[in-house]
Amino acid sequence: MRRFVAHNARNLITRRRNNLTTCVLQHCTFPLRFLTTTSPGYLSGHVASAGSASASPITLDTINPKVLKCEYAVPRRNFYPCSDVVCSQRLQQELKENPGSHPFDELLYCNIGNPHSLGQQPITFFREVLALCDHPAMLDRAETRGYFSADAVKRAFQILDQFPGRATGAYSHTQGIKGLRDTIASGIEARDGYPADPNDIFLTDGASPAVHIIMQLLIRSEKDGILCPIPQYPLYSGSITLHGGSLVPYYLDEDTGWGLEISELKNQLEIAKSKGITVRALVVINPGNPTGQVLAESNQQEIVEFCKNEGLVLLADESMEYGEEDISLVSLQSVSKGYYGECGKRGGYMEVTGFSPEIREQIYKVASMDTCSNISGQILASLVMNPPKVDDESYESYSAEKDAILSSLARRARMLEDVFNSLEGVTCNRAEGAMYLFPRIELPKKATEAAKAVNTAPDAFYARCLLNATGIVVVPGCGFGQVPGQWHFRCTILPQEDKIPTIVSRLTEFHKAFMDEFRD
Amino acid sequence: MRRFVAHNARNLITRRRNNLTTCVLQHCTFPLRFLTTTSPGYLSGHVASAGSASASPITLDTINPKVLKCEYAVPRRNFYPCSDVVCSQRLQQELKENPGSHPFDELLYCNIGNPHSLGQQPITFFREVLALCDHPAMLDRAETRGYFSADAVKRAFQILDQFPGRATGAYSHTQGIKGLRDTIASGIEARDGYPADPNDIFLTDGASPAVHIIMQLLIRSEKDGILCPIPQYPLYSGSITLHGGSLVPYYLDEDTGWGLEISELKNQLEIAKSKGITVRALVVINPGNPTGQVLAESNQQEIVEFCKNEGLVLLADESMEYGEEDISLVSLQSVSKGYYGECGKRGGYMEVTGFSPEIREQIYKVASMDTCSNISGQILASLVMNPPKVDDESYESYSAEKDAILSSLARRARMLEDVFNSLEGVTCNRAEGAMYLFPRIELPKKATEAAKAVNTAPDAFYARCLLNATGIVVVPGCGFGQVPGQWHFRCTILPQEDKIPTIVSRLTEFHKAFMDEFRD
């Protein structure tokens, strides 16, 4: 199967290289050239041109089959950020070199939760402190200090004091600098109203390493299962597959705003058991990704009870309130999330509670394989958990920056929700606390047949046609999992606000044309 | 077995808590209180106090046995940086709270390759550029720009231009920012005299993630083997064990300055084959860690030939010259190495050549699970590969900083080599290009018996006694593997130069006393 895909990809490249610009799709009026830019072939072309033809003994038949299998657990378009970074570079180059060659003059990225790439500016206070910690010589001279806010200077001094010899260039303790973990624990406590222990916190390079550590710990074989929401961001499915376990799906209920029903959890748990699978953990993503919903407190309580009763580790992608004796809990946070959106800094932490000391040692052991996480990310994680306070010099500008981001996001979300709900055959839940919308589309039979004719899922077909016609980049629902026979796409609310009207009008126009083309 | 260890550890803690300061070791005159600070019990105590006693369903019997097994592949003292970070905090606290409570007034860290933690200062130019990229507002104002060197300003502008919208807070391409990879490829080319392709470069958070990616790719089961040097830094053994493979050891020849003999590789390959193990790759660490030797060019040629003939991937922990068609090669670099020693930044890259496009895709897929590496580390990796040039404003200060570090390291290495070779029963090869020395000690029978009586390897016993008596922290050879029956310890040359005479005299005095105590 994989060989077929690779072979097929190569054919697509060849066709792309032959500059085949006319449409070969029976039912599609958009040029294939752009269609293929989001197809697997595109990146294969990139790789093929980069790689050397070798007599390497390493072949697809001789590598770890779990790596190969990942391809199916996690759709290529998510592994290959083809619809964003790579593709955008190519398409943007084409737009630059040959303006007018496309039916749009710029790409509109609604595909990835990467706010700064779309023009969102960093929070000034955070970056001031990071810069001062990178180059502390600036702190030691009054004239350079004067260019920073007083609280940024004070904070940088405080942070540097937590590094022996101010050495931000040294490896830290595997769990991260103790003083920074103290700050984070205080921040958690202030936010959630229950105590947090800095010794429970492991600072990590974003959330992904924490997920891998826990999967590494829990999964012994494909007979170990992890309950994961569907739809779901593919980090979890990918990590479970790589570590050789089984993803046990539970479906979020779109009709109740992507609700998490305990009955569904119980049902799926029983099904897994009947297949001989031992479920080890429950993954909860809150707010949902790609679904954007926020779990009600009562729902969170039920989930904790369920995990306790069933003896499951709760892997919470965001903090939840709980009593730490109750349950084995791994709570994940990343500086990529939140209004500040500092994705490139790769800061984050996991808070690990309710495990025995012996198991904690094992978690520590796996974490220590990578020595420690990057120090800038560690510092930033402490800053987002302890931003300027009301009496600080930065407070006003910090609050203004934060509020501007949040209120603009809310307006953007509303505009996009409204347009989705106005389109024929499209329904869309509200983005309650996330940067994502996950509208559902009822596609006409002719459209699903056209998709089938090009070996593509119907929502992927829709997304490609959308890209080709409008330059709007979204991720099809098949990249996240969904109830069989239903189709969605994920659209972030992140493009800058002045672009939203363009997105709304292009999307509306495209959708009407698409439906007119394919209506049964 | 593990339970016994845990039980034992708990007993040790109890004893430590009872403040048992007198010596219970038959042959040891040093207080047990300090002996146990480097024992497994210490950290268990730390964990036990941090963790909550829980009814967690996760037990040592139900976790992934590969995680448990790692404990044996990689000695605890390396997983637990007990002899450095954790222990030092405690010991330093004791020294502070109760001066005179130990036979030394400060700890002397010779245990970890973490130069900045021992007072080495960062290279100014690198930190200037990092600070400017973190907070580009400083670039836009003439008065703040004026506080940086002209070439740091210019470089920061160049780097920011490689980020769409200057967004250093955004996720990058999975392989890293293309412009930074261009710089690194040019740097490799300038250094090695053969072309490098930026598409072959994957920027990573230090070297560890790259090692894990390749192990993930190659290891299918315990029947897949990886040839690794012994002695060896435990990252490789740990990663192989976690991914379920077999470490196939090859012994470096101490008598020829830790030479790598092809006959030994062939011999071990045959032994592995006879056990039904398919060897997939050869790991070469150059300069050696912990052994410090540099491979001769002719030796490197032989290694490449060997890999080519035997169909092995060459995993080179440092670049080697080769023709990229020849062989499947993964070359690793990290900003933790080199004179600049920026361990905390977690920058690094792997250069991947000689794989088919299909396999390259799989490598990309695994790498993309973690989205991208941290941007500060990416920038720093580009800086170390393209430092100031002779006409740049920073060149003079940069060269002075670099030369001061390197010449001081050379003097420190010489002083420590000399003292080791002057001690009874100790021989030590030269540190050719690394920050490590790995002296061999012939221990008297009485000492090995005393070690056995406390369930400790003889070199670990020696290292503990050394710590207790002098505050000098080293890592025993059993942490790296060695020829059975031989004993070593790893000693870095990193303590600041003014501390070396103290180390020399304390070490000399201790060693004489130790030998007097245990001489047969």
Side-chain angles (χ1 to χ4, degrees):
Chain A
M1 178 62 191
R2 181 60 191 73
R3 277 186 203 156
F4 169 75
V5 172
H7 179 70
N8 191 37
R10 236 177 271 119
N11 286 349
L12 280 170
I13 301 155
T14 312
R15 280 149 63 194
R16 187 170 60 76
R17 289 198 178 143
N18 291 342
N19 208 14
L20 179 62
T21 56
T22 53
C23 182
V24 297
L25 295 181
Q26 210 179 342
H27 296 285
C28 179
T29 54
F30 307 106
L32 178 66
R33 184 152 65 103
F34 308 123
L35 199 65
T36 55
T37 53
T38 51
S39 80
Y42 177 75
L43 198 91
S44 300
H46 170 76
V47 169
S49 66
S52 53
S54 76
S56 170
I58 308 302
T59 67
L60 294 181
D61 292 332
T62 65
I63 66 168
N64 180 358
K66 291 172 196 159
V67 169
L68 264 187
K69 200 176 164 194
C70 253
E71 192 148 37
Y72 307 104
V74 185
R76 293 171 70 100
R77 74 189 56 77
N78 289 292
F79 272 129
Y80 298 127
C82 174
S83 46
D84 38 90
V85 184
V86 177
C87 248
S88 69
Q89 285 171 349
R90 177 67 58 106
L91 272 178
Q92 269 182 331
Q93 204 175 330
E94 287 175 358
L95 285 168
K96 191 177 159 193
E97 286 170 2
N98 197 1
S101 60
H102 295 258
F104 45 86
D105 54 3
E106 65 170 337
L107 291 173
L108 295 162
Y109 296 100
C110 303
N111 57 323
I112 189 167
N114 196 12
H116 290 215
S117 72
L118 299 175
Q120 183 177 311
Q121 294 303 304
I123 299 289
T124 305
F125 173 80
F126 296 162
R127 293 305 192 95
E128 283 186 327
V129 178
L130 287 178
L132 287 166
C133 291
D134 268 345
H135 191 43
M138 294 191 292
L139 280 172
D140 298 329
R141 288 190 301 186
E143 64 270 38
T144 38
R145 253 196 330 263
Y147 289 109
F148 295 87
S149 60
D151 54 330
V153 168
K154 190 178 159 201
R155 185 69 69 88
F157 273 121
Q158 284 171 351
I159 288 174
L160 288 172
D161 280 348
Q162 290 157 356
F163 288 79
R166 282 187 172 187
T168 58
Y171 291 124
S172 72
H173 185 287
T174 283
Q175 290 182 234
I177 291 286
K178 173 65 165 54
L180 300 177
R181 285 185 280 132
D182 291 341
T183 304
I184 290 167
S186 302
I188 294 172
E189 195 162 334
R191 183 191 64 195
D192 297 345
Y194 66 87
D197 184 338
N199 291 317
D200 292 340
I201 292 169
F202 288 68
L203 290 164
T204 50
D205 291 312
S208 318
V211 173
H212 297 319
I213 288 168
I214 300 303
M215 297 305 169
Q216 189 93 56
L217 182 82
L218 295 179
I219 295 173
R220 295 161 294 187
S221 74
E222 70 283 0
K223 289 291 175 197
D224 282 328
I226 311 288
L227 268 162
C228 281
I230 299 293
Q232 169 250 166
Y233 174 66
L235 167 63
Y236 291 93
S237 48
S239 188
I240 292 166
T241 306
L242 266 184
H243 291 101
S246 292
L247 186 148
V248 178
Y250 65 90
Y251 287 88
L252 301 173
D253 183 14
E254 187 163 8
D255 292 340
T256 58
W258 300 111
L260 193 169
E261 299 294 336
I262 301 296
S263 57
E264 166 71 1
L265 293 180
K266 285 183 177 159
N267 187 26
Q268 296 294 348
L269 185 69
E270 288 312 314
I271 294 171
K273 279 183 187 168
S274 73
K275 291 178 183 164
I277 289 172
T278 307
V279 177
R280 312 296 314 268
L282 167 67
V283 174
V284 173
I285 308 174
N286 183 34
N289 178 354
T291 43
Q293 84 289 0
V294 172
L295 291 175
E297 262 186 47
S298 58
N299 203 186
Q300 295 184 29
Q301 293 282 2
E302 289 177 316
I303 293 165
V304 168
E305 276 303 304
F306 172 76
C307 287
K308 199 174 157 185
N309 294 339
E310 301 294 346
L312 304 182
V313 173
L314 176 55
L315 195 54
D317 201 331
E318 198 248 32
S319 273
M320 294 165 67
E321 293 181 38
Y322 58 95
E324 73 171 76
E325 305 292 323
D326 282 337
I327 186 176
S328 301
L329 181 130
V330 180
S331 170
L332 305 176
Q333 282 282 352
S334 147
V335 299
S336 310
K337 296 174 195 165
Y339 61 91
Y340 31 84
E342 288 274 15
C343 305
K345 290 293 173 189
R346 312 306 287 127
Y349 65 85
M350 62 174 176
E351 191 190 0
V352 176
T353 52
F355 290 89
S356 68
E358 291 82 5
I359 299 298
R360 281 285 297 274
E361 274 192 51
Q362 301 299 319
I363 295 171
Y364 185 97
K365 190 169 71 172
V366 178
S368 71
M369 288 276 269
D370 293 334
T371 317
C372 67
S373 64
N374 85 86
I375 300 295
S376 297
Q378 293 191 23
I379 293 172
L380 187 54
S382 82
L383 295 175
V384 305
M385 294 304 285
N386 185 22
K389 298 295 181 291
V390 76
D391 291 331
D392 293 332
E393 184 185 317
S394 288
Y395 183 74
E396 202 174 329
S397 68
Y398 160 75
S399 300
E401 289 172 358
K402 177 182 172 180
D403 293 347
I405 293 168
L406 287 172
S407 56
S408 171
L409 284 173
R411 287 191 299 271
R412 288 179 257 174
R414 188 59 50 90
M415 282 191 275
L416 289 168
E417 287 161 17
D418 288 349
V419 69
F420 287 132
N421 282 313
S422 77
L423 300 178
E424 177 185 355
V426 178
T427 50
C428 182
N429 280 315
R430 296 176 58 95
E432 292 178 347
M435 46 183 142
Y436 309 112
L437 292 167
F438 200 58
R440 177 173 168 189
I441 25 174
E442 300 276 356
L443 288 170
K445 198 163 164 241
K446 265 170 80 177
T448 59
E449 279 166 2
K452 199 176 170 189
V454 289
N455 250 330
T456 303
D459 46 8
F461 178 78
Y462 179 90
R464 283 183 197 179
C465 292
L466 177 66
L467 174 64
N468 301 335
T470 66
I472 298 171
V473 196
V474 297
V475 183
C478 57
F480 304 96
Q482 50 200 343
V483 173
Q486 293 186 357
W487 309 110
H488 298 80
F489 56 91
R490 188 183 78 173
C491 177
T492 73
I493 59 172
L494 295 175
Q496 287 300 284
E497 199 163 352
D498 61 359
K499 306 228 188 272
I500 301 290
T502 310
I503 292 172
V504 165
S505 64
R506 286 196 197 169
L507 183 66
T508 308
E509 194 184 348
F510 161 79
H511 188 78
K512 190 175 175 309
F514 183 93
M515 294 303 276
D516 287 346
E517 171 90 18
F518 292 107
R519 195 176 286 107
D520 297 321
Chain B
M1 177 62 192
R2 180 62 191 73
R3 277 185 202 157
F4 169 75
V5 172
H7 178 72
N8 190 38
R10 238 177 268 120
N11 286 350
L12 279 170
I13 301 156
T14 313
R15 280 149 62 193
R16 187 168 60 76
R17 289 198 177 142
N18 291 341
N19 207 14
L20 178 63
T21 55
T22 53
C23 183
V24 298
L25 293 182
Q26 208 180 344
H27 294 288
C28 180
T29 55
F30 307 107
L32 178 66
R33 184 152 63 103
F34 309 122
L35 200 64
T36 56
T37 53
T38 51
S39 81
Y42 177 73
L43 198 90
S44 300
H46 171 75
V47 169
S49 65
S52 54
S54 76
S56 171
I58 308 302
T59 67
L60 293 182
D61 291 332
T62 65
I63 65 168
N64 179 358
K66 290 172 196 159
V67 169
L68 265 188
K69 200 176 164 194
C70 252
E71 190 149 37
Y72 306 105
V74 185
R76 295 171 69 101
R77 73 189 56 78
N78 290 291
F79 273 128
Y80 298 126
C82 174
S83 46
D84 38 274
V85 184
V86 177
C87 247
S88 69
Q89 285 171 351
R90 175 68 57 106
L91 272 178
Q92 268 181 334
Q93 205 175 328
E94 287 176 357
L95 285 169
K96 192 176 158 190
E97 287 170 1
N98 196 2
S101 59
H102 295 258
F104 45 86
D105 54 3
E106 64 171 337
L107 291 173
L108 296 162
Y109 297 100
C110 304
N111 58 324
I112 189 166
N114 195 12
H116 291 214
S117 73
L118 299 175
Q120 182 177 312
Q121 294 303 304
I123 299 289
T124 304
F125 173 80
F126 296 162
R127 293 305 192 98
E128 284 187 325
V129 177
L130 287 178
L132 288 165
C133 292
D134 268 344
H135 192 42
M138 295 191 291
L139 280 171
D140 298 330
R141 289 190 302 188
E143 63 270 38
T144 37
R145 254 198 327 265
Y147 289 109
F148 295 87
S149 60
D151 52 332
V153 169
K154 189 177 159 201
R155 186 68 70 88
F157 273 121
Q158 284 171 352
I159 287 173
L160 288 171
D161 280 348
Q162 290 156 358
F163 288 79
R166 281 187 173 186
T168 58
Y171 292 124
S172 71
H173 184 287
T174 283
Q175 290 183 234
I177 292 285
K178 173 64 164 55
L180 300 177
R181 286 185 279 131
D182 290 342
T183 304
I184 291 167
S186 302
I188 294 172
E189 196 162 332
R191 182 192 65 194
D192 296 345
Y194 65 86
D197 184 339
N199 292 316
D200 291 341
I201 291 169
F202 288 68
L203 289 164
T204 50
D205 291 313
S208 317
V211 172
H212 297 318
I213 288 169
I214 300 303
M215 296 306 168
Q216 190 93 58
L217 182 84
L218 294 179
I219 294 173
R220 294 161 294 185
S221 75
E222 72 283 359
K223 289 292 175 196
D224 281 326
I226 310 288
L227 268 162
C228 281
I230 301 291
Q232 168 249 167
Y233 175 67
L235 166 63
Y236 291 93
S237 48
S239 188
I240 292 166
T241 306
L242 267 184
H243 291 100
S246 293
L247 187 148
V248 178
Y250 65 90
Y251 287 89
L252 300 173
D253 182 13
E254 187 164 7
D255 292 340
T256 58
W258 300 110
L260 193 169
E261 298 294 334
I262 300 297
S263 57
E264 167 71 1
L265 292 180
K266 286 184 177 159
N267 188 26
Q268 296 294 349
L269 185 69
E270 288 311 313
I271 293 172
K273 280 183 187 166
S274 74
K275 292 178 182 164
I277 289 172
T278 308
V279 177
R280 311 295 314 271
L282 166 68
V283 173
V284 172
I285 307 174
N286 182 34
N289 178 353
T291 42
Q293 84 289 0
V294 172
L295 291 174
E297 263 186 45
S298 58
N299 203 187
Q300 295 185 29
Q301 293 282 2
E302 288 177 316
I303 292 164
V304 168
E305 276 302 303
F306 172 77
C307 288
K308 197 173 158 184
N309 294 339
E310 302 293 346
L312 304 182
V313 173
L314 176 55
L315 195 54
D317 202 331
E318 199 248 32
S319 275
M320 295 164 67
E321 293 182 36
Y322 58 94
E324 73 170 76
E325 304 292 322
D326 282 338
I327 186 175
S328 301
L329 181 129
V330 180
S331 170
L332 306 175
Q333 281 282 349
S334 147
V335 300
S336 310
K337 297 174 195 166
Y339 60 91
Y340 32 83
E342 288 273 15
C343 304
K345 291 292 174 189
R346 313 306 287 130
Y349 65 85
M350 62 173 176
E351 191 191 1
V352 175
T353 52
F355 289 89
S356 69
E358 290 83 3
I359 298 299
R360 279 286 296 272
E361 275 191 52
Q362 301 299 319
I363 295 172
Y364 186 96
K365 190 169 71 172
V366 178
S368 70
M369 289 276 269
D370 293 333
T371 317
C372 67
S373 64
N374 85 86
I375 299 294
S376 296
Q378 292 191 23
I379 293 172
L380 187 53
S382 83
L383 295 175
V384 304
M385 294 304 285
N386 186 22
K389 299 295 181 291
V390 75
D391 291 332
D392 293 332
E393 184 185 318
S394 288
Y395 183 74
E396 203 174 328
S397 68
Y398 161 74
S399 300
E401 289 172 358
K402 176 181 172 180
D403 293 347
I405 293 168
L406 287 172
S407 56
S408 171
L409 284 174
R411 287 191 299 271
R412 287 179 257 173
R414 187 59 51 91
M415 281 190 276
L416 288 167
E417 286 160 17
D418 287 349
V419 69
F420 286 132
N421 282 313
S422 77
L423 301 177
E424 177 186 354
V426 178
T427 50
C428 182
N429 280 315
R430 298 176 59 95
E432 292 178 347
M435 45 183 139
Y436 308 112
L437 292 167
F438 200 58
R440 178 172 168 189
I441 24 175
E442 300 276 357
L443 288 170
K445 197 161 165 246
K446 265 170 79 177
T448 60
E449 279 166 1
K452 199 176 170 189
V454 289
N455 250 331
T456 303
D459 45 11
F461 178 78
Y462 179 89
R464 284 183 197 180
C465 292
L466 176 66
L467 174 64
N468 300 335
T470 65
I472 298 172
V473 196
V474 297
V475 183
C478 57
F480 305 96
Q482 50 201 343
V483 172
Q486 293 187 358
W487 310 110
H488 299 80
F489 56 91
R490 187 183 79 172
C491 177
T492 73
I493 59 172
L494 295 175
Q496 287 300 285
E497 198 164 352
D498 61 358
K499 305 228 187 272
I500 302 289
T502 310
I503 292 172
V504 166
S505 64
R506 287 195 197 171
L507 183 68
T508 308
E509 195 183 347
F510 161 80
H511 189 77
K512 189 174 175 309
F514 182 93
M515 295 301 276
D516 286 347
E517 172 89 18
F518 292 106
R519 195 176 287 108
D520 297 321

